[in-house]
Amino acid sequence: MNAVTIQIPDDMHESVKAIAAEKGVDVATLLIDVTESIIREHDAEMRFRKRAERGAGHDSEALALLRRK
């Protein structure tokens, strides 16, 4: 595992500590959870964009499929 050092404003640090305490975890665990969430969201967006690119220009074909009975 790697260590990352960041500098954040004192008030933000206090907020992060309070949220971690509220959730019953330490600050490191909270930040790992938040980072994992951001990565999952980014990956989902990239998958969506790739699918959208593959479908670009195929609007009429897609609509024709929807009109089939």
Side-chain angles (χ1 to χ4, degrees):
M1 188 176 294
N2 293 315
V4 176
T5 302
I6 61 169
Q7 293 183 342
I8 60 174
D10 291 339
D11 60 330
M12 186 182 294
H13 184 238
E14 292 303 317
S15 293
V16 169
K17 287 194 313 188
I19 293 168
E22 201 174 286
K23 294 183 174 288
V25 298
D26 60 19
V27 170
T29 300
L30 177 69
L31 295 177
I32 288 169
D33 291 348
V34 169
T35 302
E36 287 174 341
S37 177
I38 291 168
I39 291 168
R40 281 193 305 273
E41 184 179 312
H42 176 267
D43 290 348
E45 181 179 347
M46 291 301 103
R47 284 192 306 274
F48 177 81
R49 288 180 184 273
K50 284 180 184 176
R51 287 181 181 176
E53 286 174 15
R54 285 197 313 257
H58 297 281
D59 301 10
S60 59
E61 294 170 45
L63 291 172
L65 286 172
L66 291 173
R67 285 189 209 104
R68 283 186 179 177
K69 293 184 180 183

